[in-house]
């Protein structure tokens, strides 16, 4: 009885993590054959390792098509980008007030910001010498413009020599399937839930293996930060405490088990780092650790949402730097900076830079 009840509670909680999968647009603009090929080829003279980014809103720096305002396109609309001085404080498709994880990782590798979005690469002025970003807000393993599909696009760019295969020996990939999109709706039966989590983590492992088979040298893989501590779930407690969560631990355990011993893989423990910031034992890095800067009026709504008359259906804080979370899932720019500062040492050690 008790365990069934608990499981039902979890299913309910995590439903709030909703978001997930709005229907995705079609990436039909294949470049099979001709066209596109010559332009924007990867320049192998660059010294910093090339970065290829796969994943969700933690890493999407403008790859999601700028469609009508919606959950997955919110990065293209205000108030996203308000703190982003580098881009004129305008939205750039990033689900944050500014830079996201892929930007801070790029800067650790010696680049200016995240590599350009794959979707932009046919534009004349796009330089792919730093790498390519395939990540897409709303992506999971099983949902959205998912990891497999993103890797298929990568494979196609290799086949058409838009990315030079020999560059991959000095390349780094980030696999950032960690905003919890796959867990927006989960089976309530505990055995099915375990299998579901295994399916998700097996999908991540399979993605890593595909990247390795294609010749990528080093792969950084995000562990899942605690789903129970996201504003989606802490809102029910007026942003005072994390919700109980049986998914995050199992997800991360599976990944550690399958990838922990692989010397060409570094697991980025976002769970430990986020927890240390959100529920600090000692030093408090942020005044607002649970409450998001940008909060939808409706708990099922999203940051940036407008009603039919164009009225804001959200509130936004004055000082995003004092908040760890930007919206109900994603950290602020200051949040990402703090997270990546804590991971920088281990990333550099791992890459030998
Ligand atoms: C896990 O994946 C298998 C194989 O694709 C599928 O048949 C099964 O329904 C999935 N299980 C759950 C609980 O999602
Ligand atoms: C949250 O705050 C509201 C309004 O102050 C209050 O009515 C509600 O009981 C609080 N809920 C919890 C779980 O603390």
């Amino acid at each position: 009885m008790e365990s069934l009840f608990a499981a039902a509670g979890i299913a309910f909680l995590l439903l709030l993590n909703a978001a997930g999968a709005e229907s995705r647009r079609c990436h039909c603009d294949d470049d099979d054959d001709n066209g596109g090929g010559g332009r924007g080829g990867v320049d192998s003279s660059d010294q910093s390792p090339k970065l290829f980014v796969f994943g969700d809103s933690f890493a999407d720096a403008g790859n999601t098509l700028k469609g009508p305002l919606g959950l997955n396109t919110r990065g293209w609309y205000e108030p996203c980008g308000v703190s982003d001085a580098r881009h004129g404080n305008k939205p750039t498709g990033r689900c944050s007030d500014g830079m996201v994880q892929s930007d801070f990782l790029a800067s650790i590798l010696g680049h200016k910001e995240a590599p350009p979005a794959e979707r932009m690469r046919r534009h004349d002025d796009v330089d792919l010498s730093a790498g390519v970003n395939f990540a897409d807000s709303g992506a999971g393993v099983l949902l959205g413009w998912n990891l497999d599909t993103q890797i298929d696009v990568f494979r196609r760019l290799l086949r058409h020599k838009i990315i030079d295969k020999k560059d991959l020996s000095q390349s780094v990939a980030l696999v950032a399937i960690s905003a919890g999109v796959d867990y927006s709706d989960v089976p309530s039966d505990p055995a099915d839930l375990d299998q579901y989590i295994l399916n998700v983590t097996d999908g991540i492992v399979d993605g890593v293996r595909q990247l390795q088979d294609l010749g990528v040298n080093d792969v950084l893989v995000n562990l899942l930060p605690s789903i129970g501590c996201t504003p989606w779930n802490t809102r029910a407690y007026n942003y005072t405490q994390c919700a109980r969560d049986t998914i995050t631990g199992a997800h991360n355990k599976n990944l550690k088990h399958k990838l922990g011993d692989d010397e060409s893989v570094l697991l980025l423990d976002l769970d430990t780092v986020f927890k240390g910031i959100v529920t600090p034992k000692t030093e408090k890095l942020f005044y607002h650790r649970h409450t998001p800067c940008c909060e939808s009026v409706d708990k099922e709504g999203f940051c940036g949402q407008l009603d039919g008359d164009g009225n804001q259906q959200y509130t936004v804080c004055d000082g995003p730097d004092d908040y760890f979370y930007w919206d109900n899932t994603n950290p602020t720019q200051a949040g990402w900076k703090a997270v990546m500062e804590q991971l920088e040492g281990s990333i550099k050690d791992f890459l030998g830079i």
Side-chain angles (χ1 to χ4, degrees):
M1 255 332 245
E2 194 181 25
S3 70
L4 274 178
F5 181 74
I10 293 291
F12 168 72
L13 276 178
L14 297 169
L15 269 176
L16 300 181
N17 195 7
E22 264 186 1
S23 66
R24 311 297 301 130
R25 86 287 179 189
C26 171
H27 264 248
C28 307
D29 64 327
D30 264 28
D31 45 280
D32 287 11
D33 50 83
N34 64 58
R39 246 189 337 226
V42 172
D43 170 8
S44 54
S45 64
D46 198 273
Q47 294 306 304
S48 306
K50 293 181 197 311
L51 175 60
F52 298 101
V53 177
F54 304 86
D56 53 37
S57 59
F58 283 7
D60 184 355
N63 206 35
T64 294
L65 210 60
K66 184 181 179 178
L69 175 63
L71 178 64
N72 288 335
T73 58
R74 67 189 185 280
W76 285 110
Y77 293 87
E78 288 174 359
C80 289
V82 287
S83 312
D84 193 350
R86 182 175 283 159
H87 299 108
N89 303 89
K90 294 276 189 300
T92 55
R94 291 165 168 86
C95 286
S96 184
D97 57 321
M99 302 276 115
V100 296
Q101 187 190 16
S102 51
D103 293 302
F104 288 103
L105 175 60
S107 121
I108 290 171
L109 299 183
H111 303 294
K112 210 168 73 206
E113 59 180 24
E118 187 277 327
R119 200 177 59 75
M120 295 301 294
R121 77 188 157 76
R122 289 199 184 143
H123 292 242
D124 282 325
D125 56 346
V126 172
D127 171 12
L128 301 184
S129 60
V132 183
N133 191 346
F134 301 89
D136 198 286
S137 300
V141 166
L142 307 171
L143 298 175
W145 185 250
N146 67 13
L147 181 59
D148 253 347
T149 325
Q150 294 177 23
I151 295 173
D152 284 344
V153 180
F154 180 53
R155 191 176 285 113
R156 204 156 65 220
L157 298 196
L158 283 166
R159 201 164 59 227
H160 292 278
K161 307 202 168 23
I162 293 164
I163 298 169
D164 194 333
K165 189 139 182 128
K166 74 176 176 356
D167 286 336
L168 297 187
S169 61
Q170 291 130 46
S171 66
V172 178
L174 171 66
V175 175
I177 299 288
S178 36
V181 174
D182 289 304
Y183 299 119
S184 53
D185 192 5
V186 296
S188 50
D189 180 87
D192 288 345
L193 179 60
D194 284 347
Q195 182 58 50
Y196 183 84
I197 296 170
L198 206 53
N199 284 4
V200 171
T201 50
D202 281 353
I204 293 174
V205 173
D206 179 65
V208 171
R209 300 299 178 222
Q210 290 185 57
L211 293 172
Q212 291 172 325
D213 289 347
L214 287 168
V216 175
N217 212 28
D218 293 308
V219 188
L220 310 180
V221 181
N222 279 354
L223 295 182
L224 193 67
S226 168
I227 290 182
C229 294
T230 60
W232 267 118
N233 287 316
T234 58
R235 184 170 179 150
Y237 304 100
N238 290 336
Y239 305 117
T240 55
Q241 65 181 85
C242 299
R244 210 169 76 85
D245 157 18
T246 55
I247 290 177
T248 308
H251 176 104
N252 289 341
K253 192 163 152 237
N254 293 349
L255 287 182
K256 285 177 191 162
H257 176 68
K258 296 261 172 66
L259 296 173
D261 292 335
D262 189 327
E263 285 181 356
S264 65
V265 173
L266 178 67
L267 296 171
L268 301 179
D269 191 352
L270 298 189
D271 189 27
T272 301
V273 176
F274 277 41
K275 270 215 190 91
I277 293 173
V278 170
T279 56
K281 298 245 157 28
T282 50
E283 191 194 5
K284 295 183 172 61
L285 293 177
F286 293 87
Y287 183 78
H288 299 282
R289 297 181 293 278
H290 287 299
T291 311
C293 170
C294 185
E295 186 187 30
S296 54
V297 172
D298 186 322
K299 69 177 166 52
E300 308 285 344
F302 59 89
C303 168
Q305 192 171 25
L306 304 176
D307 70 10
D309 299 323
N311 300 312
Q312 286 186 15
Q313 297 301 298
Y314 63 92
T315 56
V316 64
C317 71
D318 286 332
D321 283 359
D322 297 331
Y323 289 73
F324 177 67
Y325 279 108
W326 167 245
D327 63 12
N328 45 29
T329 318
N330 298 280
T332 54
Q333 169 173 269
W336 274 127
K337 180 166 184 283
V339 168
M340 294 308 283
E341 272 171 8
Q342 294 188 36
L343 295 170
E344 178 166 358
S346 54
I347 293 171
K348 285 185 160 166
D349 283 351
F350 171 71
L351 298 174
I353 55 175

